[in-house]
Amino acid sequence: MKRRTFLQRIGSTLAVLGITEAEWLNWGNRYYQALAQPSVRKLALLVGINQYSQNPVLSGCLTDVELQKELLMHRFGFPAANILTLTEEQANREFIEAAFLEHLGKQARTGDVVVFHFSGYGTRINVEADQVQNALIAVNTQNSQNSNYLLEETLLLLLRSLPTDRVTAVLDTSYYAPNSAGLPGLRVRSRPEVDSQLATAELEFLKQLKTQNSFTKGEVTPPLLLSATGDSKQAAREVLLSGFSAGLFTYALTQYLWEVTPTKTIQVSLSQVETAMRKLGSKQQPALASSKKNPQAALIADNFAPDTSVGGEGAITAIEEDGKTVSLWLAGLPPQVLENYSINSRFSLVTGEPLILRSRTGLTAKAQLSAANPTNPLQVGQLVQESVRVLPRNISLIVALDTALERIERVDATSAFSSVAHVSAVVAGEQPADYLFGKLSPTPTRYSLFSLSGEAIPNIAGEPGEAVKIAVQRVAPKLPTLLAAKLWRLTENEGSSRLAIKASLEIVNTLSPRVIMQRETMRTLGNETATSKSPSTGIVPIGSKLQYRLQNLGDRAVYFILLGLKNNRSAIAFYPWQTSSEPNSSPSKPLVKQLVIAPGETFTLPQSAAAAEWVIPGPAYECEHQLIFSTSPFNETLTTLETAKNQTTDQQPIGPLLNPLEVAQALLLDLHNASPVKAEINSTAADSYVLDVNNWATLSFNFQVA
């Protein structure tokens, strides 16, 4: 179809939207160039809506579009001309469908790569009597009398109609609104079911698509559909970070895809995405649907066809006139790390040239080449890989105060939290936060601490009628544990570490150990095909015997420790016990020892059957473990562990961590001491931790005991 014909067909839509023909032609000039491109083409249509006239405003949908666009261009080689974005008033139903038909339907051929993305509200709508369907909420056309909804079935048929099986749809929305508004932590992307009349044109278009797709015999699932949540009781949510908001699912997904290698499966990738979302306070479980056989085995390479197997933490987006100063897009860094990423952190290009971070605002940063005369000229689009992570030493736990609290309650809570070391209070929704402080429902006079998704932290709620200051004093002893978990999460670097480590969590039985979860450093080992059938969330039955199998596949010995968090409330640690052999020491005084894995060796944790077995007790709970590896001993960490535990005779392998904050600080100091580059960054070493990816790796395991 020629551009002129297309413009005539959607002319009324353009007029209603107030978009001129010149503006459309400007978009058209970008993506019509794809018609002349040879071989496999890569096409994308990205839709994001924040501003709704009849619904509360969202904040992260335009960021989602930007996250996807930068990823597709710089990580997966999509030409900018082939990516069409529809945002805000451009994204009404007619325009989305017309753009789909023209940009994707008329251009895609067998073997081409196609990506569709939607970020915005979803809902349930009555289509006919006793028939309710999922729908995406588009922008209402001016003076529209009918609801401007794009039925999910319509979208799926459009995706299914494309002549290539390399189609990926990402829907960062949900359809079932929560029963209550809840706390203002993570904004929800769903609206209550509506009883409006669906536009007649949408029903007619759906009927036409069904006729055209009759060969599918009722199958409407596209080759690959990734949804923010697969559970109708869960809502897709947004997260507020420093300087921007984003969809939890989109950020977690795109962040992982920046670093991942093409040989990873989509299923394993979603497992990692879910883990990342949990650490930001949401229990969303992303869903995968596919018309392909054995979709769990589908590889990243199958659907995204990256130009290179090498990943990165971001890319160069602009180069200044001096040829040495660049703008960076850093969406490949985990969000909790990005929030605390400091100047003088370092990156390297794939060609080896080092870059030093000079400033950062949100997802963008400025960096400079450290070499006076670089071997290779810089280019826009070059991937950058983390080499040195600089973190401030004065990191605090941020507690957001629910806006539903009375003003005097917020004043009292702010005053009470100000007296707690390493804790600061902010107003919910105004600044990023780690947890929420508010009232329990349905008993408004009880206070508690909540995750950002509004779930109460277990066993922290107070008594009815309790004063705010008393409630904060009661919560305060739990906060060092939560801050400790925040600190050791900042060491996660599965994607950027240069150590070659693979770790498996296994259930031990009478036959052979059964792997329930597997993690590995991707930059050194990621090109191996992932054979692990890692579940969306690891489930460990109560009473199971567990072990970790740790493989050092590098050429240097590595030391390791294990730290963790149980039920988002209590800290735990692995204690490597030994009995002192000194003749004058008491045999009842246990000591902890360094654990080391030689190059090429495998280590099981606990080490042997002679050691106390690691049996998982009930009742049900959630668990998060960090396995931290270093090329240097954990001297400060083990000394701090002994300080709290040296009087006990209980030598269970996994036990309560009595001084979690001190241990977390000692851990960061050990990793800092293991980094030879700290001497080169003297200006920040005193008030920062300087961590070298060549000398440490942290792998994260999240699982449920049930």
Side-chain angles (χ1 to χ4, degrees):
M1 181 183 297
K2 296 181 179 179
R3 277 184 287 177
R4 181 64 55 186
T5 305
F6 179 55
L7 284 170
Q8 291 173 351
R9 191 182 70 186
I10 64 168
S12 59
T13 302
L14 293 172
V16 169
L17 290 174
I19 298 174
T20 67
E21 181 175 323
E23 289 172 324
W24 174 261
L25 288 173
N26 182 48
W27 293 327
N29 288 334
R30 295 204 314 266
Y31 71 79
Y32 270 89
Q33 296 171 19
L35 292 172
Q37 293 177 356
S39 67
V40 173
R41 284 174 298 189
K42 298 178 179 180
L43 303 164
L45 174 58
L46 313 178
V47 182
I49 309 168
N50 281 337
Q51 302 291 330
Y52 285 91
S53 60
Q54 299 176 356
N55 290 296
V57 172
L58 293 172
S59 300
C61 299
L62 301 194
T63 305
D64 289 359
V65 168
E66 196 173 10
L67 287 167
Q68 280 284 16
K69 183 176 181 179
E70 297 292 333
L71 172 78
L72 294 177
M73 287 194 303
H74 301 308
R75 179 67 185 92
F76 295 114
F78 280 59
N82 292 9
I83 302 175
L84 178 61
T85 62
L86 298 179
T87 57
E88 304 297 32
E89 70 276 0
Q90 304 163 3
N92 74 19
R93 178 188 59 78
E94 300 98 317
F95 215 25
I96 294 172
E97 292 173 349
F100 193 107
L101 290 171
E102 188 68 13
H103 183 60
L104 303 181
K106 295 294 184 181
Q107 295 191 80
R109 300 291 182 266
T110 302
D112 286 351
V113 176
V114 174
V115 172
F116 175 85
H117 180 100
F118 177 84
S119 285
Y121 278 123
T123 190
R124 301 271 293 166
I125 185 170
N126 288 304
V127 178
E128 298 175 356
D130 300 325
Q131 184 182 4
V132 183
Q133 288 196 27
N134 296 339
L136 310 179
I137 303 181
V139 171
N140 263 347
T141 304
Q142 296 177 9
N143 302 320
S144 173
Q145 299 299 314
N146 295 322
S147 300
N148 199 31
Y149 299 109
L150 172 60
L151 292 176
E152 183 189 51
E153 185 180 8
T154 299
L155 174 62
L156 297 181
L157 283 169
L158 283 168
L159 292 163
R160 182 74 175 173
S161 68
L162 296 174
T164 175
D165 63 354
R166 305 174 82 177
V167 178
T168 301
V170 179
L171 302 183
D172 198 345
T173 188
S174 50
Y175 306 108
Y176 294 82
N179 294 328
S180 60
L183 298 173
L186 300 174
R187 189 168 290 170
V188 172
R189 289 183 176 177
S190 57
R191 299 300 297 156
E193 184 175 312
V194 293
D195 198 21
S196 304
Q197 182 180 357
L198 193 66
T200 303
E202 173 68 359
L203 292 173
E204 292 177 349
F205 186 51
L206 175 61
K207 183 178 179 180
Q208 178 184 349
L209 287 173
K210 286 181 176 180
T211 301
Q212 294 174 350
N213 288 269
S214 58
F215 64 91
T216 63
K217 298 180 180 179
E219 173 61 65
V220 296
T221 306
L224 188 66
L225 174 64
L226 305 179
S227 302
T229 174
D231 186 340
S232 62
K233 296 180 181 179
Q234 295 178 339
R237 295 178 180 269
E238 295 186 336
V239 62
L240 171 64
L241 298 168
S242 295
F244 68 99
S245 294
L248 263 177
F249 178 56
T250 299
Y251 194 156
L253 176 65
T254 56
Q255 185 272 315
Y256 183 74
L257 290 177
W258 272 102
E259 296 184 318
V260 75
T261 53
T263 55
K264 293 295 182 185
T265 66
I266 300 290
Q267 183 66 35
V268 168
S269 299
L270 285 187
S271 172
Q272 296 278 42
V273 168
E274 181 180 347
T275 295
M277 290 194 292
R278 281 179 176 267
K279 288 171 186 169
L280 290 173
S282 175
K283 291 188 176 181
Q284 280 178 234
Q285 292 180 311
L288 181 156
S290 176
S291 59
K292 297 182 178 180
K293 294 181 179 179
N294 193 20
Q296 288 75 18
L299 303 180
I300 297 293
D302 296 337
N303 274 61
F304 291 95
D307 295 333
T308 174
S309 63
V310 178
E313 280 64 57
I316 295 176
T317 57
I319 303 171
E320 296 187 4
E321 291 183 0
D322 62 4
K324 296 180 180 180
T325 304
V326 299
S327 297
L328 300 179
W329 179 259
L330 296 178
L333 289 170
Q336 67 272 22
V337 173
L338 180 70
E339 285 290 281
N340 294 280
Y341 221 64
S342 297
I343 60 170
N344 290 322
S345 294
R346 298 190 178 189
F347 297 90
S348 62
L349 303 175
V350 176
T351 51
E353 288 83 359
L355 293 169
I356 300 177
L357 189 73
R358 295 307 187 197
S359 65
R360 183 188 64 82
T361 303
L363 290 158
T364 61
K366 292 281 188 181
Q368 287 182 323
L369 273 174
S370 60
N373 298 301
T375 305
N376 302 299
L378 298 174
Q379 296 179 9
V380 171
Q382 282 181 294
L383 294 182
V384 296
Q385 299 178 333
E386 182 181 36
S387 56
V388 177
R389 181 178 300 179
V390 178
L391 301 170
R393 297 201 181 196
N394 60 344
I395 295 171
S396 62
L397 190 76
I398 304 174
V399 178
L401 305 181
D402 185 4
T403 52
L405 294 174
E406 299 291 338
R407 183 178 179 278
I408 186 61
E409 292 175 304
R410 293 200 300 272
V411 170
D412 288 347
T414 301
S415 174
F417 277 117
S418 67
S419 65
V420 182
H422 310 296
V423 175
S424 59
V426 300
V427 177
E430 293 185 0
Q431 297 180 49
D434 301 306
Y435 293 90
L436 282 163
F437 179 80
K439 295 178 181 179
L440 275 173
S441 179
T443 311
T445 54
R446 295 178 66 199
Y447 300 99
S448 187
L449 197 67
F450 301 82
S451 70
L452 293 181
S453 62
E455 184 169 333
I457 306 301
N459 302 323
I460 286 185
E463 297 297 324
E466 184 179 44
V468 172
K469 289 187 176 181
I470 300 301
V472 172
Q473 293 172 6
R474 177 178 43 76
V475 168
K478 305 293 184 182
L479 300 182
T481 297
L482 301 180
L483 176 56
K486 177 178 179 176
L487 292 181
W488 62 57
R489 286 170 180 167
L490 292 178
T491 70
E492 292 178 10
N493 68 339
E494 181 177 333
S496 64
S497 174
R498 299 305 175 101
L499 298 183
I501 305 292
K502 180 180 289 186
S504 302
L505 179 61
E506 303 173 341
I507 293 179
V508 181
N509 52 41
T510 55
L511 299 175
S512 61
R514 178 170 65 89
V515 176
I516 60 172
M517 194 173 292
Q518 192 174 76
R519 298 286 185 258
E520 65 184 11
T521 50
M522 291 188 284
R523 195 128 300 161
T524 48
L525 301 175
N527 286 325
E528 300 178 10
T529 301
T531 56
S532 167
K533 296 181 180 179
S534 181
S536 178
T537 301
I539 304 294
V540 176
I542 294 173
S544 298
K545 297 178 182 179
L546 289 188
Q547 71 177 21
Y548 278 104
R549 186 179 303 275
L550 312 177
Q551 297 174 263
N552 178 8
L553 302 176
D555 56 5
R556 293 180 291 172
V558 295
Y559 300 82
F560 74 91
I561 59 172
L562 184 154
L563 301 172
L565 193 63
K566 181 178 177 180
N567 261 352
N568 213 12
R569 180 172 58 93
S570 55
I572 55 177
F574 177 81
Y575 290 90
W577 298 114
Q578 69 173 5
T579 302
S580 175
S581 58
E582 297 178 11
N584 295 327
S585 63
S586 169
S588 63
K589 181 181 178 180
L591 301 173
V592 290
K593 61 182 179 181
Q594 299 281 353
L595 296 177
V596 62
I597 312 175
E601 296 296 318
T602 297
F603 191 104
T604 57
L605 190 71
Q607 281 183 270
S608 66
E613 291 182 329
W614 180 19
V615 179
I616 302 300
Y621 62 92
E622 295 182 10
C623 201
E624 172 189 333
H625 287 168
Q626 306 286 351
L627 283 165
I628 303 137
F629 303 83
S630 175
T631 54
S632 297
F634 289 99
N635 294 326
E636 298 291 337
T637 307
L638 293 190
T639 298
T640 309
L641 276 176
E642 285 185 355
T643 300
K645 203 67 173 173
N646 62 7
Q647 298 300 321
T648 183
T649 57
D650 178 13
Q651 296 190 32
Q652 292 296 315
I654 300 285
L657 182 55
L658 305 181
N659 54 345
L661 182 55
E662 292 78 6
V663 168
Q665 292 167 335
L667 163 69
L668 285 167
L669 185 58
D670 278 329
L671 296 180
H672 171 84
N673 291 335
S675 304
V677 296
K678 64 180 181 294
E680 304 173 23
I681 314 179
N682 289 328
S683 61
T684 59
D687 56 3
S688 301
Y689 298 110
V690 179
L691 313 184
D692 188 337
V693 298
N694 291 297
N695 293 280
W696 112 92
T698 297
L699 305 180
S700 179
F701 288 78
N702 285 59
F703 58 90
Q704 294 181 342
V705 174

